[in-house]
Amino acid sequence: MSKTDPNPAPAKGRRRKAMDAGSAGSSVAPDDLKDSSDRQFVVALARGLDILKAFRPREGPLGNRELSERTGMPAATVSRLAYTLCRLGYLEFNPRQENYELGSSTLALGQVALARRNIRKVAAPLMQELADRSNGNVGLGILHKRMMLYIETCEGSGLIGLRLFNGSRIPVITSAMGRAYLARMEEGERERLLEVLQPQFGADWATAMVGLQKAMRDMDRYGFCTSLGEWQSYIHGAGTAIRLSDGSLYGLNLGGAAYLLPERELQEVYGPQLVEVAEKIRKAMSVPDEALIRGGAAGRRNDGMATPEAIMKHYDADPDEDPWVRGKPAPAPVEVVPYDPAWPLRFGELEARIREALGPAALDVEHMGSTAVPGLAAKPVIDIDLTVADPTREGAYVPALEAIGYVLVLREPSWHQHRLLQRDAPGVNLHVFGPDCPENIRHRMFRDWLRGQDEDRDRYARAKQAAAGGVMEVMAYNKRKEATVREIYARMFRAAGFL
């Protein structure tokens, strides 16, 4: 997997069959859908999704004619589907300009998907610590359909009186999370939302506004606000908000039975602690400019997220860099063996030990490489991608990993600040990257692609077996199969819409 990996195996994948290169990035013609022999395939749903896929980054709204041209559907069909999507909130129609934009339901889906992959993993251990200290419920949420939607929740061991779970919804105006979220919204956006919410309150609207205005003042003064029996009479809560560098906004709260979280403790103890947790999450989700420079993060957006260009880039070893911490390993035969069903089980055991050793420092631990692809021949070495907040801070993870048998063998500042640790019995390559690293995303995409593309999986297996014959160095093995690997990457990137 590494440019200089002693036992590398590029990472791969996809769980379901992906479209082939010929159809990638384009819609499926309606006639093709009608002729489909798959009885489980819902044509109307596919057409609706084609309309949503017609919208592209950095482009404006689309009219009926543009949607028809991009999807290949008749204008009348587009109009009916777009009407339905508007009713459900997946599109928004501008009657003056007679065009459409993606609606809040679509944006919420994307936000939830990103949250599940990124911020939840960062936030959960920090939230759990606060939940344990307070015996309360700590929740992370987003605005969805005029309610706050929980995307992560943690409970203290002694929780009584408040049970909320991922997917739970709470009101915006009377909950601490919702009030904090409103306080950090753009003013125009907040006013539009309040205008929509007002009819729900009737004569109680003035009282609700008094509570919201106080919460907004508290957010400015303390960084958090409270709800003391205003959502539910027996519940007290504190809330704050997290705005990430990409502009996305999240609510964070702590709530529980009023007798467990009295007003004074919320104001003096748990409110400030909630603000500290929010700041830690925000910092962990951001990559400082100096870290980007130090890590060679060209190709990342200003918000630290990887661009398609960075994900697609093929790296060669820096000739001026000596990455070997303990010296280059002695030549040894490269062995490729048939797939072993025990490999995933072995990874599970290794993952558990890594997480136990590192605790919250392990932001993510994933099975990568050929041993993560069922049916694929591979070197009998488990490849694992470990995500930490900053790979350059080796003291935060290397000593703990050394204590369970790992040895640091590679340090590559020019390649996303990559670190490689290894262990024997079982053989493991533990690759360390930072959050949203392009290489980690690339590994995941390749692994999942091969899981769903039998032809490319078998093609890669043949290339691996041919490349291993008679070679004594992994670099030579990698070079022999490089052309096949890059062909597969090209098909994968085309299907993902990168090309």
Side-chain angles (χ1 to χ4, degrees):
M1 293 167 65
S2 162
K3 313 187 300 294
T4 50
D5 191 339
N7 290 292
K12 305 121 189 172
R14 199 179 187 88
R15 293 189 184 277
R16 292 188 178 181
K17 288 282 185 183
M19 64 181 75
D20 60 31
S23 64
S26 63
S27 62
V28 182
D31 288 340
D32 293 338
L33 295 177
K34 290 178 182 177
D35 293 338
S36 173
S37 60
D38 188 350
R39 294 185 178 182
Q40 299 296 317
F41 191 88
V42 182
V43 175
L45 176 60
R47 286 171 170 166
L49 293 174
D50 271 351
I51 288 179
L52 298 180
K53 289 190 293 184
F55 292 86
R56 299 169 185 167
R58 295 178 294 278
E59 287 190 359
L62 298 177
N64 206 62
R65 185 181 66 180
E66 294 166 302
L67 288 171
S68 177
E69 291 173 351
R70 291 190 179 185
T71 61
M73 287 184 269
T77 301
V78 169
S79 181
R80 290 196 303 273
L81 291 171
Y83 172 80
T84 302
L85 291 168
C86 286
R87 287 288 303 271
L88 296 173
Y90 291 97
L91 288 180
E92 292 181 356
F93 180 66
N94 186 327
R96 292 185 179 180
Q97 299 181 7
E98 295 187 343
N99 56 26
Y100 301 88
E101 290 183 308
L102 293 177
S104 59
S105 293
T106 303
L107 300 178
L109 281 177
Q111 198 169 21
V112 169
L114 288 174
R116 289 184 63 185
R117 191 173 62 208
N118 295 318
I119 193 171
R120 282 182 59 195
K121 293 177 181 177
V122 171
L126 298 168
M127 292 166 58
Q128 188 62 58
E129 289 180 4
L130 180 57
D132 290 338
R133 288 197 300 270
S134 63
N135 279 329
N137 180 295
V138 180
L140 180 71
I142 60 173
L143 180 68
H144 181 51
K145 290 187 176 180
R146 307 171 191 174
M147 299 283 282
M148 296 306 299
L149 172 69
Y150 272 62
I151 62 172
E152 185 63 49
T153 182
C154 298
E155 295 181 345
S157 58
L159 179 66
I160 300 174
L162 181 62
R163 302 302 300 271
L164 293 168
F165 309 95
N166 293 357
S168 294
R169 297 173 184 271
I170 60 175
V172 178
I173 292 183
T174 55
S175 69
M177 176 191 286
R179 288 173 168 178
Y181 192 97
L182 283 167
R184 291 296 179 257
M185 290 177 73
E186 298 293 339
E187 184 176 359
E189 186 180 7
R190 180 173 60 247
E191 292 303 319
R192 287 191 293 272
L193 178 59
L194 292 176
E195 186 176 329
V196 172
L197 293 174
Q198 182 174 356
Q200 301 175 10
F201 286 81
D204 295 328
W205 182 247
T207 302
M209 285 299 93
V210 170
L212 176 59
Q213 289 163 4
K214 179 182 183 303
M216 294 177 65
R217 292 193 298 271
D218 287 346
M219 283 290 292
D220 290 337
R221 185 174 181 181
Y222 306 115
F224 68 93
C225 61
T226 59
S227 173
L228 305 173
E230 295 151 287
W231 167 41
Q232 295 185 23
S233 60
Y234 57 93
I235 296 297
H236 281 185
T240 188
I242 306 168
R243 185 174 292 281
L244 301 184
S245 54
D246 64 356
S248 56
L249 184 63
Y250 298 86
L252 184 70
N253 72 350
L254 165 66
Y259 71 89
L260 290 176
L261 295 174
E263 179 178 1
R264 183 172 180 177
E265 286 193 22
L266 279 178
Q267 292 285 356
E268 298 180 2
V269 180
Y270 296 123
Q273 290 183 9
L274 185 71
V275 173
E276 290 179 8
V277 169
E279 181 63 11
K280 288 179 180 178
I281 294 171
R282 187 193 66 77
K283 287 182 177 180
M285 290 296 296
S286 302
V287 182
D289 292 341
E290 60 269 23
L292 291 176
I293 296 170
R294 187 173 65 244
R300 290 196 184 187
R301 305 192 318 232
N302 290 337
D303 58 12
M305 296 288 286
T307 63
E309 292 77 15
I311 296 169
M312 289 190 292
K313 183 176 180 179
H314 297 292
Y315 285 82
D316 295 317
D318 184 348
D320 299 323
E321 184 176 83
D322 180 9
W324 301 105
V325 176
R326 300 169 184 271
K328 190 174 181 180
V334 176
E335 179 186 21
V336 174
V337 301
Y339 177 78
D340 186 346
W343 286 337
L345 300 176
R346 199 169 298 160
F347 163 74
E349 296 169 354
L350 293 164
E351 178 192 16
R353 292 208 66 193
I354 291 169
R355 290 190 180 278
E356 181 181 4
L358 296 182
L363 302 183
D364 202 4
V365 183
E366 293 187 88
H367 190 187
M368 297 294 190
S370 296
T371 59
V373 181
L376 180 59
K379 300 188 308 298
V381 177
I382 307 296
D383 277 292
I384 300 174
D385 274 12
L386 167 64
T387 302
V388 300
D390 183 355
T392 66
R393 296 178 58 194
E394 295 178 3
Y397 61 92
V398 170
L401 292 171
E402 288 177 336
I404 59 171
Y406 288 87
V407 176
L408 179 64
V409 297
L410 272 179
R411 184 184 291 118
E412 297 181 280
S414 66
W415 190 51
H416 311 294
Q417 285 294 352
H418 169 250
R419 303 295 193 267
L420 173 68
L421 295 94
Q422 292 181 322
R423 62 163 292 168
D424 297 323
V428 181
N429 285 335
L430 182 61
H431 301 269
V432 183
F433 296 106
D436 296 310
C437 175
E439 194 65 25
N440 176 248
I441 297 170
R442 176 187 175 100
H443 288 180
R444 187 184 303 116
M445 291 177 67
F446 197 44
R447 176 200 64 196
D448 293 343
W449 177 263
L450 291 183
R451 283 175 174 173
Q453 296 292 317
D454 294 345
E455 290 184 7
D456 272 343
R457 181 198 65 196
D458 295 342
R459 182 178 292 112
Y460 186 47
R462 291 192 295 271
K464 288 160 67 73
Q465 290 161 345
V471 299
M472 296 294 291
E473 288 189 354
V474 170
M475 293 303 295
Y477 164 76
N478 286 343
K479 197 67 178 177
R480 284 187 177 187
K481 61 187 178 74
E482 183 179 89
T484 300
V485 170
R486 294 194 176 187
E487 287 174 8
I488 296 173
Y489 268 124
R491 279 188 288 275
M492 178 189 76
F493 290 140
R494 194 171 295 113
F498 288 4
L499 296 174

